[in-house]
């Protein structure tokens, strides 16, 4: 068997201002189609941008209800479809995807699932079910309620919430401080008419990329051109460049009391490093040394040495040039843990990085990069994120380049980072809580 | 190395290699050409439900504290040379482990250095190095883990439901135990459990990835110390294992809106569930039914959603082992009691109407496709394989099961499993 595992994204055509990219690979059981739109993240439009895909998910002219869509997905041998809104830096992303088993593995006729799956997806994006020429009022009202629930439910996963909240507070007053679903108040203001208008604006003008990952024949790629004709004539909206966050003058401390057992501590940093710069490679390695896994200083010192936490890690938001250190601890140990975390950064600045830490950190980064190639979703997301940040490093090149980063460069980049916020969710008795 | 078997599953393009070590350890490899990630796992038939067993030394019944399997999982990661994790990191690999109801799994994923990682895995799992001091330190870390789960609305909701579904079944005991139960764990208890349950004949091994099977089997052969099989271990389970407990449990926690889980639990007149119907067939049948009854294509789902009673957090699942089985629907809801009421009415309707041939066939095909999709991901393959193995089966049997299961099988399960006398709900409400 002659198999293809190259897994590099190639732009194959640009049609009606939609860029179509192909990741041809034989190793998966499924084919995936992803459609991305993006817009500037802003407090005026975040909620309505997030609501539109939720309404589109409810039904198209071809498949007007949830039930119709699900029945069709079942007929396509358990294909899955979903859509939603996300944020990458100052940009709000609206995404749609479908994946379906490759015909051969489910004894279906060659190409039969592809045609129906692609059609289902593009119809859901471009031809919503309408009522009096606009979105169905019921659908809009129900999805508004659910969007408000989603906004409120962010606090349910406190580990995630503490890190996200820390990132947002580091960018107070900037678009990035807005959650990808906007605010409860702005959801409430939406009506069917303006949601429909926003839908038109999205399909007619938001920058759009399609990624096809899996096995595709030339005929199938041509067939996609025909399906793209279902989009209205598009004129591209101008979106702003992504900006990394600028440091505040001093480090703030914010506590949010909740009725919980465990303190979730998140310490936020401004890295002052552009995602498309060569220094970004050093930052990736710094994060790995600092808190990027079990080899890292945070895990080794906070958990293994002192037994103060079950989880302790750091992660970066490359789009905004931010980093956060997170751990779940007993409230009485908060200051002790802050001191340990500070010391790890000081150690890195002073070049106290062992050969073991350096090697393990590099290997961990390279493995993670290679693992992207094992998932269709991660592959599409990687290449789309590259596009958003204005870089175009294939995975292989990224891992070659990062091997050249020295200990010295990691210390240098650590000197540049600036602690901006100590955020924590702290336990309190019910009557003291908000 | 040539004493292994190879099975080619042509219809989905997968290869399975099988080898049995002298010690009784069963070893499996699923080859994934072109994958970067190489994965291996070794699992012991010892989980949170094994809290009482016959001591092999004197044939006495031995009771151990709740959470001991999970505690042992943590402790094996510490060796005389200190941390096993460091060694894996050095090799660029990420190790992990998880304790389930009936088994404990140790695993790693790596890109390079597969052989060294494998040697390391086999070595640390066979050689506990536990001191009184390190047991005490671990109580702090696991204490934090327990606290973390105490705050987790979904986790609490899940275990509260299990408490409703079964009265005497050890499945409802938290996997990590409680701060109190783990305070009774000692070095001696941990060694006893290791000696009892971590013999290779009570374990299995699986590797998934772009590896050379001969080399992997050779490494296994050299690194498994025991050379003789040992008789099966007897776990002692309480009487009346399948007795139902109660209809409702509610707890208040810091969550934004109520979280609910509604479940049915399996029951058998026999000692074990597999004596009624093989666990994999049971699982396939009930999954098909759940999808028809409460999946996204059902009228029930559409009604709940359009009334605003559920949102995108809604999920369904079915889990079974020899001593328990339960189906769950759940998520966030503004009004869980209304969901429960509608669910009961809907179950009655479905039971009256029965399942149509048409919907059965459509859903059967969809679940076949979803099963195939699982083979995209090395961890999912490994997890699926281990789960099926501990049900005394081979994951690939699902291909045949989904192909040959018929509507009569499913209608029988409809009556048996979806029994309204064994329906419970657990709710976690905001403070």
């Amino acid at each position: 068997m002659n198999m293809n595992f190259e897994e590099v994204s190639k732009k194959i055509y640009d049609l009606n201002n939609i860029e179509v990219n192909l990741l041809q690979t034989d190793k998966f059981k499924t084919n995936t189609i992803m459609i991305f739109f993006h817009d500037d993240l802003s407090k005026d439009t975040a909620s309505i941008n997030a609501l539109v895909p939720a309404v589109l998910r409810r039904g198209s002219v071809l498949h007007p209800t949830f039930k119709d869509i699900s029945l069709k997905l079942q007929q396509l041998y358990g294909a899955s479809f979903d859509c939603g809104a996300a944020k990458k830096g100052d940009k709000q992303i609206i995404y749609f995807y479908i994946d379906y088993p490759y015909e051969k593995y489910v004894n279906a006729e060659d190409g039969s699932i592809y045609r129906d799956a692609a059609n289902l997806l593009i119809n859901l994006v471009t031809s919503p079910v309408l009522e009096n020429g606009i979105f169905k009022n019921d659908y809009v009202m129900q999805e508004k309620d659910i969007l408000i629930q989603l906004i409120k439910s962010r606090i349910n996963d406190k580990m995630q919430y503490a890190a996200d909240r820390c990132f947002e507070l580091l960018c107070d007053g900037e678009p990035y401080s807005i959650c990808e679903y906007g605010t409860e108040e702005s959801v409430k203001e939406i009506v069917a008419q303006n949601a429909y208008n926003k839908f038109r604006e999205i399909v007619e003008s938001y920058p759009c990329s399609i990624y096809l990952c899996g096995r595709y024949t030339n005929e199938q790629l041509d067939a996609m051109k025909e399906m793209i004709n279902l989009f209205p004539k598009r004129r591209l909206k101008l979106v702003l460049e992504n900006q990394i966050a600028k440091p505040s003058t001093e480090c703030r401390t914010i506590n949010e009391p909740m009725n919980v057992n465990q303190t979730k501590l998140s310490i936020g940093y401004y890295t002052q490093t552009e995602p498309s710069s060569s220094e970004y490679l050093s930052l990736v390695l710094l994060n790995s040394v600092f808190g990027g896994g079990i080899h890292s200083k945070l895990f080794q010192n906070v958990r293994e040495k002192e037994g103060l936490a079950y989880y302790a890690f750091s992660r970066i938001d490359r789009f905004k040039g931010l980093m956060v250190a997170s751990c779940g601890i007993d409230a009485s140990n908060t200051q002790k843990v802050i001191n340990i975390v500070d010391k790890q950064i000081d150690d890195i600045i002073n070049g106290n990085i062992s050969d073991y830490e350096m090697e393990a950190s590099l290997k961990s980064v390279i493995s993670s990069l290679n693992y992207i190639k094992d998932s269709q979703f991660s592959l599409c997301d990687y290449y789309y994120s590259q596009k958003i940040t204005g870089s175009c490093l294939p995975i292989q090149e990224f891992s070659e380049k990062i091997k050249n980063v020295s200990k010295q460069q990691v210390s240098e980049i650590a000197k540049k980072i600036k602690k901006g916020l100590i955020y924590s969710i702290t336990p309190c008795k019910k009557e003291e809580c908000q | 190395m040539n004493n292994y078997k190879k099975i080619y599953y042509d219809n989905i393009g997968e290869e399975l290699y099988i080898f049995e070590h002298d010690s009784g350890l069963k070893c499996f490899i699923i080859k994934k050409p072109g994958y970067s990630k190489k994965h291996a796992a070794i699992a012991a038939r010892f989980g949170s439900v094994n809290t009482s067993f016959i001591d092999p030394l004197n044939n006495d019944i031995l009771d151990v504290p709740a959470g001991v399997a999970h505690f042992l999982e943590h402790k094996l990661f510490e060796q005389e040379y200190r941390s096993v994790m460091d060694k894996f990191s050095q090799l660029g690999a990420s190790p992990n482990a998880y304790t389930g109801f009936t088994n404990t799994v140790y695993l790693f994923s790596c890109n390079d250095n597969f052989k060294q990682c494998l040697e390391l895995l086999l070595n640390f799992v066979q050689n506990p190095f536990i001191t009184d001091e390190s047991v005490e330190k671990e109580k702090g870390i696991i204490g934090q883990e327990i606290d973390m789960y105490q705050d987790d609305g979904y986790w609490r909701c899940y275990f509260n439901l299990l408490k409703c579904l079964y009265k005497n079944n050890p499945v409802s005991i938290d996997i990590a135990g409680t701060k109190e139960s783990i305070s009774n764990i000692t070095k001696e208890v941990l060694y006893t459990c290791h000696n009892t349950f971590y013999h290779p004949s009570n374990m299995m091994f699986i590797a998934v990835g772009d590896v050379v099977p001969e080399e992997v089997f050779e490494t296994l052969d050299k690194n498994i110390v025991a050379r003789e099989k040992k008789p099966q271990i007897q776990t002692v389970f309480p009487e009346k294992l399948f007795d139902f407990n109660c209809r409702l449990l509610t707890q208040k926690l810091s969550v934004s809106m109520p979280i609910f889980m509604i479940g049915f639990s399996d029951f058998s007149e026999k000692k074990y569930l597999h004596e009624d119907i093989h666990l994999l067939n049971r699982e396939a049948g009930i999954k098909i039914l759940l999808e028809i009854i409460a999946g996204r294509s059902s009228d029930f789902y559409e009604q709940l959603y359009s009334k605003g009673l559920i949102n995108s957090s809604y999920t369904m699942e079915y889990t079974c082992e020899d001593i328990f089985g339960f189906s769950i629907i759940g998520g966030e809801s503004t009004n869980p009691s209304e969901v429960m009421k509608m669910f009961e009415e809907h179950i009655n309707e479905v039971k009256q109407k029965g399942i149509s041939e048409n919907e059965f066939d459509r859903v059967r095909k969809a679940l076949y496709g979803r099963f195939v999709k699982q083979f995209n991901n090395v961890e999912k393959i490994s997890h699926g394989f281990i789960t099926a193995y501990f049900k005394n089966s081979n994951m690939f049997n699902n291909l045949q099961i989904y192909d040959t299961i018929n509507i009569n099988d499913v209608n029988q399960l409809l009556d048996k499993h979806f029994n309204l006398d064994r329906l419970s709900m657990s709710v976690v409400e905001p403070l």
Side-chain angles (χ1 to χ4, degrees), chain A residues 43-311:
Chain A
K43 75 174 190 319
D44 299 329
T45 53
S47 293
I48 197 161
N49 273 337
L51 185 80
V52 169
V55 175
L56 294 177
R57 178 171 48 204
R58 296 297 298 273
S60 67
V61 174
L62 222 53
H63 303 100
T65 66
F66 254 148
K67 188 174 168 132
D68 298 319
I69 298 167
S70 306
L71 290 175
K72 186 69 197 170
L73 291 168
Q74 287 175 345
Q75 279 160 10
L76 298 176
Y77 297 84
S80 16
F81 153 76
D82 208 357
C83 58
K87 74 175 175 183
K88 290 184 189 286
D90 299 330
K91 301 218 186 311
Q92 189 177 20
I93 312 296
I94 300 166
Y95 64 88
F96 300 83
Y97 78 84
I98 193 160
D99 71 356
Y100 59 90
Y102 178 50
E103 286 90 353
K104 188 182 152 211
Y105 297 130
V106 288
N107 302 317
E109 198 187 315
D110 273 3
S112 57
I113 309 183
Y114 166 76
R115 265 194 318 273
D116 282 4
N119 232 324
L120 173 73
L121 181 69
I122 298 207
N123 265 286
L124 281 162
V125 177
T126 58
S127 318
V129 58
L130 302 180
E131 182 180 74
N132 306 322
I134 56 172
F135 277 160
K136 281 183 79 166
N137 195 49
D138 276 2
Y139 284 2
V140 172
M141 293 306 136
Q142 287 157 13
E143 292 307 324
K144 278 172 65 177
D145 286 345
I146 288 175
L147 197 55
I148 290 172
Q149 289 172 9
L150 265 178
I151 294 169
K152 287 183 176 164
S153 70
R154 290 177 72 211
I155 63 153
N156 292 354
D157 182 346
K158 297 190 175 55
M159 178 162 85
Q160 180 77 26
Y161 179 77
D164 288 351
R165 198 67 201 122
C166 183
F167 276 150
E168 289 173 8
L169 290 164
L170 285 167
C171 298
D172 252 356
E174 290 180 50
Y176 188 74
S177 66
I178 300 156
C179 141
E180 60 261 50
Y181 309 128
T183 60
E184 217 179 308
E185 294 68 39
S186 58
V187 176
K188 284 181 182 155
E189 285 166 14
I190 303 172
V191 294
Q193 180 70 57
N194 60 11
Y196 179 71
N197 295 346
K198 181 52 82 178
F199 151 72
R200 294 289 301 265
E201 203 186 319
I202 293 171
V203 289
E204 285 169 16
S205 71
Y206 284 18
C208 176
S209 308
I210 297 181
Y211 289 80
L212 305 168
C213 182
R215 303 166 173 86
Y216 292 92
T217 61
N218 288 334
E219 293 76 47
Q220 288 176 335
L221 299 178
D222 284 342
M224 179 57 75
K225 285 185 188 166
E226 278 166 42
M227 287 185 255
I228 286 178
N229 284 331
L230 292 170
F231 277 86
K233 175 101 188 88
R234 286 165 44 80
R235 178 176 296 183
L236 280 193
K237 163 183 185 170
L238 219 57
V239 289
L240 300 171
E241 292 274 306
N242 180 61
Q243 300 280 332
I244 62 163
K246 295 198 177 55
S248 54
T249 42
E250 59 191 31
C251 179
R252 294 179 296 161
T253 299
I254 298 175
N255 293 332
E256 214 174 322
M258 289 188 199
N259 200 315
V260 291
N261 287 304
Q262 189 179 57
T263 292
K264 309 281 181 200
L265 175 68
S266 283
I267 304 178
Y269 305 86
Y270 299 98
T271 71
Q272 312 190 70
T273 307
E274 293 282 349
S276 56
S277 69
S278 58
E279 279 183 320
Y280 175 68
L281 298 165
S282 313
L283 178 66
V284 169
L285 208 54
L286 161 72
N287 177 59
S288 185
V289 172
F290 179 48
I294 51 175
H295 58 274
S296 69
K297 287 182 179 288
L298 282 182
F299 191 89
Q300 287 303 322
N301 290 287
V302 179
R303 170 167 156 154
E304 295 297 285
K305 204 167 140 201
E306 305 280 347
L308 293 169
Y310 172 68
Y311 74 86

